[in-house]
Amino acid sequence: MNTTTQLHIRLTPGRVATFAGMNLLDRIVGGPVVLLEWLETQLGLPHADVHRASRVMQYADALSKVPGPCFERSLAADRWETASELLQRRDELMMCGWDGGRSDGCPRIACDLALAEKEYVGSFPSEAERIAAVGETLDAGQILPRHELKLAEPIDAWPAAWQTVLKRLSICDPEKPSPYSPQPMPLSSSLMAAANVVRGQTSSPFDCDSSLRVTQARSETAAVEFLASVLAGNSAALSRTVIYCEDDSLAVRLDASLGRRGVPTMGASLQTKAHPVLQVLPLALELCWDPVDPQSLLDLLTLPVIPFRRAIASRLARALGDEPGLGSASWQQAFDEICAESEQDTEHANYDSGKTAQTLRDWFCADRSPADQPVATTLMARQCRKVAKWAHGRAAVIWNNENRSDSDEQVAIVLGEATRQATLLGELIELAGKTITQPQLGRLLDEVTDRGVHSRPCPVAEGGPTRVRSLAEIAAPYDCLIWLGTTTADAAGSCWSVKQLEDFADAGIQLDDGTRQLRSLRSAEVSGLCLARESMLVVALPASEEQRVHPLWLAVEQKISDYHDPKRWVPLAIEDLVENEDCDALSPFVFRCESVATQRSQPLRPVWDIPASLLADRETVSASELEDRLACPLKWTFRYQAGLRPSEIASLPDEFQLRGNLFHKLLERVFGGDGELPDPDVAVLLVEATFDERLPLDAAPLAQPEKRVESQRLKTELAKATRLFVETLSAGGYTKVQIEVPIEGSAFGKEMRGWIDCVASADDDREAVVDFKYAGRKKFNDMITDGRSVQLATYAHSRRQTGDSYPAVAYLVLSDGKFFTPSGSPLAGVDQAQVLDGPSIERVWNNFSQAISQAEDWLTTDEAVPARPLQVINDWPDGTDIVLKERLARDETQSVCRYCEFKPFCGMEAVQ
């Protein structure tokens, strides 16, 4: 049986949406690309899915061979963007009848493009060339199947490349858009009036009735929840409901809300470049620059799908969090341990005969290029092939698994896209020359990854509503239209100036200035709206600064506003309807209100009832543990009794912590040898050389090119502090220093543990304890003068048990290059201006230990466990002010709270 294919084609690009009851048998609706694909299929013409980046690269080579073109400076400044723009212009000219050589009477740019055309080796055909191939095939005598082509626009409105082909097809008169409103819908309904308005017919102002409802939402969340409630109450009509929403993320949120209510979902999708699998390629390329950006490395290691086993990546991520740099001591130790385990325990099933070690070396031990220099294209192309090989192999494993799930298949599809992107990028990089700069690489990467992948969090469920991004996608009657968000993106304008358009027109080349495309789009949108049979609900959202109100809705809204007072009419707000529980105000779009009692996040809770039987004293003590014990017993309980720990999610230290850690480690490397105090000049040279060596390894965030000025300042600070450190100790008669000295002795009958930053000793057996601090001049000044330096006191108490007396003590603030030492236990050699009026360190320890002993009821009895920073000062035990400040500056917190992970528990920090 011979059937006739119905082709409903318009200039507006894209395809149409399908929904229940829509007959698509031998009926094709869409734009020029849809028609072209049908013609190629019927004529047996092959067409490969070629990424535009491949054509841009070839065209850039042709442009570079044109002598003295008008775009010469643009091409030199930005080769890729210029080639991309000119290729777009070239393709548009070809569509409008330009033959690639004729330039008489045309603008100067056409002459230069004609010269480029002679050099252009077009391996991949443009749309105009594909259309020309269709015409040549028809000229050769090949016959198309029976069809009827209904064009929404006349042939002369189409580009010249199409006109020759269209005239050879069976063209019929198009269908005119008209309101689809069978009885019993009254002809005077608001929906009918709105349809007449958008069709351009004269219409009197009108009010909204049950066929057209308008509302507004003050937030997207309110709009989404309102619509989900409306749709949940009318499930029988869902399959004939169209939801027009241009915002992909908003449509996905609506789908999620429908899913929570058990309503069939639309299957809204996002075209996203942010899929985790697609992040492997850009992050892998970051490994080619030295020093490696540790944040990029950490992002790679914490992706859900990576080229390494999750347990291995987690170990490396934790090492990176300790010392953020590829090659740091922590990283190298973890890396070597993993490689050794892989190579030695080959008989176990969970190891792979050294393959893990080889994979890690391939990824992390390859050659790298200085971060501010161009990188060899061979190195970058090799990295791309590495990603492509991994993604292809991982996808093959999933497809070969007969028990794969739907989510596995989605991952495999994205892995396929990652393979394509990495392969294409590698090919483009190899065409770029011997080297490529980071900005050039970024431009190529953006072009290659521009399509991204479809992410569909919710499935297209049977019986669910149909989502469209444009009214132009609607090509069949439906019952209800829900218009979510009344703004729209502007149509693309012409890339040609008015003068250029006139010159081309005089030369016989009719370019579209955007008018024809816009007219076609509006006509298709009008048709889509007029196909609504029963009702329409419009939900306006807060105004967007980047978009304007849709012209069709603007016309309808004006008529409604004219019916009321134009200056005072505003749609009902969803939030007001909910507040008043006016669920039927927008009938037939009825929603439900449900009151739910919400529980507040943890309020401030100064005391906690915890039975003493659940608490047990520790067998060891440390400086930080003792301070927590007195300052906030609740924090001590959470950490040392409940054993609560922060999340296992690895993170890099903040910049302040990073500087302090770096300075500590550098001083340990320089002064951690035989203990002899070096000459100041020698010490400074050693510190500066060690800084240059270890900065990109132990603190790579500070070694990035954009941090160069800051890193030089840090180097100067450290050199200054080192000179002060050595000269002061030498002046005080100290001859030896020990760095990171383990604490010895006991306190409160328990063994003491921990590490002292620095212990200096003199030939006469005098000792001094120096605690390194990165910054905080005022803080440590006040701690010395107020007798609150409890950490120094704990260290001094430990050293006193190995010597005859309490040692001298001091803070060395590295960023300021200053010592702070108390007059009661002064560090010999310190400038008198830095000797502060403060009690002896023995007195500080006695006050500290006495305060702890007097404040232990919560540990030994059924007294409540206090969160002392939240208590009023009068409830503090005597002596607690040695670790807590009675007066805090604005936005200041107690020291014990500053880095506490338990603030959401006590209520100091709200739960997000």
Side-chain angles (χ1 to χ4, degrees), residues 620-630 743-753 756 769 783-784 786-801 805-807 809 811 822 824-825 838-854 856 878-880 882-883:
T620 62
V621 294
S622 66
S624 60
E625 182 260 351
L626 289 175
E627 185 173 357
D628 287 348
R629 184 169 178 153
L630 179 60
I743 290 180
E744 301 177 21
S746 62
F748 303 100
K750 306 178 188 68
E751 178 187 355
M752 299 182 71
R753 291 184 178 178
I756 304 173
V769 170
M783 290 178 68
I784 291 289
D786 296 342
R788 296 188 296 106
S789 50
V790 296
Q791 190 176 31
L792 277 178
T794 305
Y795 296 156
H797 176 69
S798 165
R799 298 306 298 177
R800 188 253 180 224
Q801 297 177 60
S805 60
Y806 278 86
V809 294
Y811 290 116
S825 301
S840 69
I841 204 66
E842 179 179 7
R843 180 179 170 188
V844 175
W845 168 256
N846 290 335
N847 291 340
F848 183 40
S849 58
Q850 182 179 3
I852 292 175
S853 299
Q854 293 176 347
E856 296 279 273
D878 292 340
T880 309
I882 198 171
V883 290

Side-chain angles (χ1 to χ4, degrees), residues 679-699:
D679 178 80
D681 292 334
V682 173
V684 170
L685 289 175
L686 286 173
V687 162
E688 289 179 336
T690 307
F691 181 93
D692 292 337
E693 175 191 352
R694 300 305 303 180
L695 182 70
L697 301 178
D698 299 336

